[in-house]
Amino acid sequence: MEQETKKEKMRSLELDNVFVVNGRLAIKLSTFAKLLHYSNDYLLQLIKKLFKQGIKIGFKWKKNWYIFLPTTPIKSIVQNSNNDNNSEDNAINPSGNEINTDWSAAVEELPSDIRQALGKANFNAVVANGQLVMPVSATASMELLSSTLTPKRVTQFIPPNLGTFQATTNYKYGYYILYKEDRMSTFDPGTSGTLKSTQIPAAFFEVCRALDAAENLRNGANPGLPPRRNLSTTVSFDTGTIAVAATLPITPNIQSNGSIDIAASNYLGSTYAAFANGGGDLSSDTLPEALLEIASLLAAAEKSVTPAENQPNNVQIQFDLETSSATISANLPFTTASASNGAVTIIAIDYL
């Protein structure tokens, strides 16, 4: 049992590169953001604000921002803030320009929630496979987002030529995807509801987009709280697929006949995750419930494809009653349309 636990932790561990810039250690801003569980854009705004005050902790090089790690442990700097401690260090960026990095001054100017995140983050670099790397996430850090959730397992992109997309007949990356309309599923979005799609895969993607936006809205409105990032929706124009990975908290209930009813819990609250089913095919009234319901409909629709050897398996749902969580993984093909004003519309193809 102990051996299995160790293996699970290794699977959930991610490493990012650490760079040596003229003798000083530096990490990408994206790595810095992962460690603090904040967005790149938000942290970049803070860093630029520090620059205007003459406080420097990083530099920009070839379109990427890098953060110099202090020679004194960041946790020590945070704990000794307001004690006039001095952590100025000389550094030279790749352009050869000398800068003074002052983490003490930076900590004093950063918001309190960022200081707390800095005090909890792990900035220890290690050597793995001959490279200097830093652990940026593990099981323990991911569970800080919600004590009831397990880490997401993001599936790899599957190009249409390698996946099982039954309706697809021809495609050219970035240009078009042709499919048979007579194989299309039907979905009733209801009247004046949240959804507008009339096919099941498109409705699934629409719910993913809505829940993703709800998470961003909740996190942006509550910067002092741990962010909720239980859903990842990634669109790849290179592979022509939409990759979805979600971990939802669930509540199992034993019915009078002995069957088990599973309902997704609303981890965002009614303010951000309200869902109007419009009296259509879905009966859910929150976005987490709607995602689990539409994913179940899509999985059932895949199983109804005949003959059995042609059944696609582009969506998978796993329930874990021990952790009270449901894990959803999906890869969907998509095509695009361009409007006259230049807007690009992403359309999930009905492969059923």
Side-chain angles (χ1 to χ4, degrees):
M1 188 65 170
E2 182 180 355
Q3 188 175 7
E4 291 180 358
T5 303
K6 290 181 179 178
K7 288 182 179 179
E8 180 64 30
K9 288 185 177 181
M10 288 300 293
R11 281 197 296 268
S12 61
L13 186 66
E14 297 178 13
L15 304 173
D16 273 9
N17 286 333
V18 178
F19 304 90
V20 181
V21 183
N22 294 305
R24 286 287 302 277
L25 299 183
I27 57 177
K28 280 188 175 181
L29 176 62
S30 57
T31 303
F32 189 62
K34 289 180 184 178
L35 290 167
L36 300 188
H37 297 296
Y38 277 86
S39 71
N40 293 10
D41 293 340
Y42 176 65
L43 292 178
L44 182 57
Q45 290 177 5
L46 294 180
I47 292 170
K48 288 182 176 179
K49 182 179 179 181
L50 292 176
F51 262 63
K52 291 180 180 179
Q53 297 175 287
I55 303 172
K56 300 178 181 179
I57 58 174
F59 61 94
K60 185 178 181 181
W61 172 251
K62 292 184 177 181
K63 298 183 179 181
N64 288 319
W65 277 87
Y66 297 83
I67 306 298
F68 274 123
L69 298 180
T71 55
T72 303
I74 293 182
K75 291 182 181 180
S76 175
I77 297 174
V78 173
Q79 292 171 355
N80 295 324
S81 60
N82 299 320
N83 290 338
D84 296 327
N85 57 317
N86 187 357
S87 63
E88 290 189 16
D89 294 304
N90 290 328
I92 300 176
N93 64 22
S95 301
N97 298 323
E98 184 176 346
I99 62 174
N100 268 339
T101 60
D102 193 345
W103 269 99
S104 294
V107 166
E108 293 297 330
E109 296 296 329
L110 290 173
S112 60
D113 55 319
I114 298 295
R115 290 200 297 269
Q116 292 176 5
L118 284 169
K120 296 178 181 178
N122 175 23
F123 289 89
N124 295 326
V126 296
V127 177
N129 297 326
Q131 287 186 314
L132 195 61
V133 296
M134 179 178 290
V136 294
S137 69
T139 302
S141 62
M142 291 296 290
E143 287 179 347
L144 291 175
L145 305 184
S146 175
S147 61
T148 64
L149 298 180
T150 55
K152 294 181 295 187
R153 294 175 177 84
V154 181
T155 56
Q156 295 181 344
F157 290 124
I158 302 176
N161 63 324
L162 298 180
T164 307
F165 307 123
Q166 298 301 320
T168 303
T169 60
N170 195 11
Y171 65 91
K172 184 176 181 180
Y173 287 135
Y175 290 92
Y176 62 84
I177 297 181
L178 304 179
Y179 52 96
K180 297 179 180 179
E181 294 188 7
D182 59 354
R183 294 187 181 179
M184 297 175 71
S185 63
T186 58
F187 176 80
D188 180 8
T191 303
S192 301
T194 301
L195 304 182
K196 303 297 184 289
S197 301
T198 56
Q199 285 86 41
I200 298 177
F204 175 80
F205 178 45
E206 194 176 356
V207 173
C208 290
R209 188 215 63 81
L211 181 55
D212 211 321
E215 286 189 345
N216 291 335
L217 182 62
R218 181 266 180 195
N219 294 339
N222 300 276
L225 298 177
R228 299 295 187 185
R229 292 172 182 151
N230 300 334
L231 172 69
S232 171
T233 305
T234 307
V235 177
S236 171
F237 285 88
D238 291 333
T239 63
T241 54
I242 302 165
V244 176
T247 303
L248 304 177
I250 59 174
T251 302
N253 297 299
I254 301 178
Q255 305 301 303
S256 58
N257 62 357
S259 63
I260 299 178
D261 176 73
I262 295 177
S265 303
N266 186 4
Y267 62 92
L268 294 178
S270 58
T271 303
Y272 306 102
F275 176 80
N277 56 54
D281 286 343
L282 299 186
S283 58
S284 301
D285 56 11
T286 70
L287 285 171
E289 288 177 343
L291 178 58
L292 184 58
E293 188 177 4
I294 189 64
S296 300
L297 284 179
L298 182 55
E302 289 183 340
K303 292 297 183 183
S304 66
V305 173
T306 56
E309 58 267 21
N310 289 339
Q311 291 178 357
N313 187 27
N314 301 328
V315 60
Q316 301 89 38
I317 307 173
Q318 294 180 331
F319 295 100
D320 190 338
L321 298 183
E322 291 294 327
T323 60
S324 296
S325 64
T327 301
I328 302 172
S329 301
N331 273 282
L332 307 177
F334 75 89
T335 187
T336 60
S338 181
S340 58
N341 62 355
V344 177
T345 302
I346 298 173
I347 305 167
I349 290 178
D350 188 354
Y351 58 90
L352 299 170

